[in-house]
Amino acid sequence: SNANSFIEKKKSKNKELNTLLTRIQVDDPNLRVVNLEQKNISDALIIPLFDALVSNTHVEELILKENRIGDEGCVALASAILDNSTINKIDLSGNNIKDDGMKDLCKAIAYNQCLVEINLSANKFGDAGVKELAASLVENESIEVLTLNGNLIGDNGANDLF
C-alpha cells in the first residue's frame, strides 16, 4: 500500500540521517562529505546535525541542495560555522532561506576564515539579505566562490555587492 511505502521511505530517510548524525558526533575521520541532496529535509531534521558539526573536525563539505531548510536552520548552521574550522564548501541552493536566515548566517560568515565556497542560489532572500552578505564579505577573507542566482535580489542588493 502507498501509506506503507511512504512510512518505509520516511523511516529510511530518518535512519540515514541518524547514521550521519552519529558519525558527525563521534567525529568519524572518514566522513569528509555530508551529502543530503534532495532529501526533503526540514529545519527540525537538520538542526541536530548542524549542532553536532560545532565540534566536528573532519567534515569539509555540506551538500544540502534542494531541501526545506529555512531561517531556523540558518541559526543552527551559523553557530556551527562560527566554531567549526574544517568545513570549506556549503551548498544550500534550492532551500527556503529568507532575509532573516541570511542575517544569522552572515554574522557567522564574517568570522569564519575557512569557507571557500558557498552556493545560496534559488532561495528566498532579497536585498536585505544581500546587504548583510556584502557586509560579512568585507570581514571574510577566505570565500572565493559565491553563487546567488535565482533569489529576490534587486538593483539595490546587486549594488551592495559590487
Side-chain angles (χ1 to χ4, degrees), residues 19-37:
T19 305
L20 259 179
L21 182 58
T22 305
R23 289 183 70 191
I24 291 168
Q25 285 167 334
V26 301
D27 207 0
D28 178 348
N30 299 313
L31 183 64
R32 304 257 175 210
V33 178
V34 171
N35 187 347
L36 290 167
E37 179 176 344

Side-chain angles (χ1 to χ4, degrees), residues 40-47 50 64 66-78 92-105 120 122-125:
N40 199 24
I41 294 170
S42 63
D43 283 341
L45 284 174
I46 203 71
I47 286 171
F50 288 158
L64 301 165
E66 291 172 36
N67 283 293
R68 294 185 293 124
I69 299 165
D71 293 348
E72 281 178 46
C74 283
V75 175
L77 179 57
L92 279 165
S93 60
N95 277 284
N96 201 18
I97 300 166
K98 301 184 179 99
D99 289 327
D100 282 349
M102 283 297 285
K103 192 177 285 186
D104 289 301
L105 204 51
L120 289 162
N123 275 283
K124 310 243 163 58
F125 59 87

Side-chain angles (χ1 to χ4, degrees), residues 59-139:
V59 172
E60 293 168 11
E61 188 174 350
L62 296 178
I63 304 167
L64 301 165
K65 65 191 283 189
E66 291 172 36
N67 283 293
R68 294 185 293 124
I69 299 165
D71 293 348
E72 281 178 46
C74 283
V75 175
L77 179 57
S79 24
I81 62 176
L82 265 179
D83 289 313
N84 181 295
S85 57
T86 51
I87 296 170
N88 56 46
K89 280 173 86 169
I90 301 177
D91 186 345
L92 279 165
S93 60
N95 277 284
N96 201 18
I97 300 166
K98 301 184 179 99
D99 289 327
D100 282 349
M102 283 297 285
K103 192 177 285 186
D104 289 301
L105 204 51
C106 290
K107 281 186 190 128
I109 288 171
Y111 290 100
N112 179 295
Q113 297 302 332
C114 54
L115 279 172
V116 178
E117 196 173 321
I118 305 181
N119 187 338
L120 289 162
S121 62
N123 275 283
K124 310 243 163 58
F125 59 87
D127 291 349
V130 171
K131 201 179 187 71
E132 300 286 342
L133 185 61
S136 74
L137 291 174
V138 173
E139 305 296 323

